[in-house]
Amino acid sequence: MKETIACKVLDGERLNFHEAEHLYQEAGLLELGYLANRVRQKLHPEGTVTFVVDRNINYTNICVNACRFCAFYRLPGDPEGYLLSREEIGRKIEATLAAGGTQILMQGGLHPDLDLAWFEDLFSWIKSRYPVTLHSLSPVEIDDLARKEGLPVAEVLQRLKRAGLDSLPGGGAEILVDRVRNRVSPKKTSTARWLEVMRTAHALGMKSTATMVFGLGETMAERIAHLEAIRQLQDETGGFTAFIPWSFQPGNTDLGGEEAGACEYLRILALSRIYLDNFPNIQVSWVTQGTKVAQTALFFGANDFGSTMLEENVVRAAGASFRADQEEILRCIRAAGFRPAQRDNEYHILRYYEAG
C-alpha cells in the first residue's frame, strides 16, 4: 500500500484523504522527505529559494477573543494592552523601507473600539505615503469587522481594498476543524466562515496565504481535514500563493502542552507539500523551528524561506526566540545549495543573489 501511494506521488497523481493518512502513518521521515523533495523539484526545478523582506506590525494586542493558545493578547482594560499610534506605525514602515522591505504584514487582536473606518483611514494614509504592499488583516479580523458593521464580508473587503489592502495573510486558521476550534478558541471564527472570507477575497482578485498551526490536541485525521479544506478552496479559486505550517508554541499560554519537535514538523511539512498539489509554494517556519530546521525543510518540500520578519511579537510572546536577519537567511539558503532570491508578495522575483 505504501509503495503504491509513493508511486502515485512520483507520477504526479493526487492523493486522497485516506492515502495521505496511510502514507503519514507508514512512511519514515526520510521517505516522506524524499517524496516531498521530488514534488518540490518538479514545481521548482530552477533551484531557487525565495524570501520577502517585510515586517510584522501588530497594531494592537487588545483582543476580546481570549484564545487559549495565545500568549500575546490582552483583554480591554489590561495595563499591558496597547494600540500603536499612526506615527509609531509610520516609523516602523520607514525602517522597513530603509532595510529594503517591500511588504507590511499588519495583524492585531479584535479590538472592540476599532471600526472599519479606522482601518480605511489607516490604510489610505499608509498607501499615500509609503510604497509598500499591505498583506494585512487575517480572515478573523475581517469577520470581526463585518459583524461589527453589520455588512457582508464582500463589502468590507471591497472597502479595504479601495483603501489600499492588497492581500490577506492566513492567520487565524489554526486547525480548520470546528471540534478543535471550539476547544481552543470557542469565540473564534468558524471553519466555514474562515473559508468564506478567503473565498470572497479571491473572488475580488485579492491573493492570500494559508497557514496551519498544529499541536493543539488535534488528530492526524483533523490535520489532513485542514489540508483538504484549503486544497478544495484552491481548486475553486486559485487564490492562495503559499502554505505555511507551523508548530504551536505553548509557552505562557492557558492551553499549555508540549511543542512539536523538528521531526514532527518536517513530517507535516513534507505531507503538506505532497497533499497540496495545487499550491505553488510552501514556506518554512524558521520563527518557530529555528534556521537549522528551516534549512533542512528545504529538502522536505519547502521552496520559500518566508520573510526577514524585522519584527514579530505573537510567537515571541509564547516563548519562541529564534531570530534571523537577511544575511543569515542568505547564508542558510546558500549553504543548502540553493540560489537565494528576494521576491514580492505574489512571488515575482525582485532580485537574485549569487548562489553559494
Side-chain angles (χ1 to χ4, degrees):
M1 179 65 173
K2 183 180 73 175
E3 287 72 21
T4 302
I5 297 171
C7 287
K8 286 188 70 174
V9 175
L10 295 175
D11 289 341
E13 297 180 38
R14 171 171 284 193
L15 299 190
N16 64 37
F17 186 101
H18 297 294
E19 289 170 334
E21 192 172 26
H22 188 87
L23 183 66
Y24 188 84
Q25 291 169 343
E26 297 298 323
L29 172 65
L30 296 183
E31 290 174 306
L32 277 172
Y34 171 77
L35 293 173
N37 197 40
R38 288 291 298 271
V39 175
R40 177 201 190 285
Q41 289 170 332
K42 284 184 180 177
L43 290 169
H44 302 280
E46 70 286 350
T48 299
V49 170
T50 51
F51 66 95
V52 65
V53 179
D54 80 346
R55 183 186 203 108
N56 285 14
I57 298 178
N58 301 114
Y59 56 89
T60 184
N61 65 346
I62 296 173
C63 184
V64 296
N65 244 17
C67 297
R68 296 179 61 211
F69 61 85
C70 180
F72 175 70
Y73 81 90
R74 294 293 181 271
L75 291 172
D78 190 301
E80 294 183 351
Y82 72 81
L83 174 64
L84 294 181
S85 68
R86 189 165 291 188
E87 290 69 28
E88 289 172 304
I89 292 171
R91 284 195 292 273
K92 289 176 182 290
I93 295 174
E94 289 165 9
T96 305
L97 289 170
T102 59
Q103 174 177 287
I104 294 296
L105 191 159
M106 294 187 70
Q107 289 185 131
L110 304 188
H111 194 307
D113 299 332
L114 302 185
D115 58 15
L116 180 56
W118 188 88
F119 287 98
E120 288 178 292
D121 289 345
L122 176 63
F123 291 169
S124 297
W125 180 81
I126 290 172
K127 281 303 187 82
S128 69
R129 286 164 176 76
Y130 306 112
V132 292
T133 298
L134 280 178
H135 178 58
S136 303
L137 298 187
S138 69
V140 177
E141 289 159 292
I142 299 294
D143 176 37
D144 182 58
L145 288 173
R147 293 182 188 280
K148 281 195 293 197
E149 302 285 349
L151 295 173
V153 166
E155 185 171 341
V156 171
L157 284 170
Q158 284 170 331
R159 286 174 57 174
L160 291 171
K161 185 180 180 184
R162 284 197 294 271
L165 180 62
D166 294 293
S167 62
L168 302 186
E174 284 82 57
I175 295 292
L176 291 170
V177 173
D178 285 338
R179 184 197 74 81
V180 181
R181 303 178 76 77
N182 290 336
R183 189 176 72 82
V184 303
S185 52
K187 298 180 183 177
K188 206 163 197 174
T189 305
S190 68
T191 295
R193 184 73 165 176
W194 190 96
L195 293 168
E196 177 191 345
V197 173
M198 285 303 196
R199 180 180 291 106
T200 306
H202 296 171
L204 294 173
M206 303 172 79
K207 297 292 186 181
S208 71
T209 53
T211 61
M212 176 171 73
V213 183
F214 60 93
L216 297 169
E218 72 283 352
T219 65
M220 191 59 217
E222 287 169 334
R223 293 178 185 179
I224 298 174
H226 178 109
L227 298 179
E228 176 64 23
I230 59 172
R231 189 172 77 172
Q232 285 185 15
L233 185 56
Q234 181 75 331
D235 277 345
E236 180 183 334
T237 68
F240 290 119
T241 57
F243 177 66
I244 312 110
W246 54 281
S247 53
F248 165 55
Q249 304 297 297
N252 306 317
T253 69
D254 177 52
L255 189 62
E258 297 291 326
E259 180 186 354
C263 181
E264 186 174 5
Y265 168 74
L266 292 172
R267 288 176 63 82
I268 291 295
L269 183 90
L271 186 70
S272 303
R273 178 60 288 171
I274 293 167
Y275 200 72
L276 299 177
D277 59 345
N278 53 3
F279 272 65
N281 304 292
I282 303 289
Q283 287 187 23
V284 304
S285 176
W286 61 259
V287 176
T288 58
Q289 293 292 325
T291 54
K292 290 292 185 185
V293 177
Q295 195 178 37
T296 306
L298 298 177
F299 299 95
F300 283 75
N303 65 291
D304 187 273
F305 223 79
S307 78
T308 56
M309 214 172 284
L310 299 173
E311 177 182 348
E312 199 289 325
N313 300 299
V314 177
V315 174
R316 189 176 186 184
S321 58
F322 296 112
R323 288 288 180 271
D325 58 19
Q326 185 169 328
E327 287 305 311
E328 174 64 5
I329 288 175
L330 291 173
R331 188 196 66 75
C332 287
I333 295 171
R334 286 171 172 149
F338 296 95
R339 185 182 188 187
Q342 183 182 347
R343 63 167 174 84
D344 65 11
N345 178 259
E346 296 193 11
Y347 282 78
H348 302 119
I349 301 298
L350 301 177
R351 175 185 178 185
Y352 283 104
Y353 292 82
E354 292 299 319

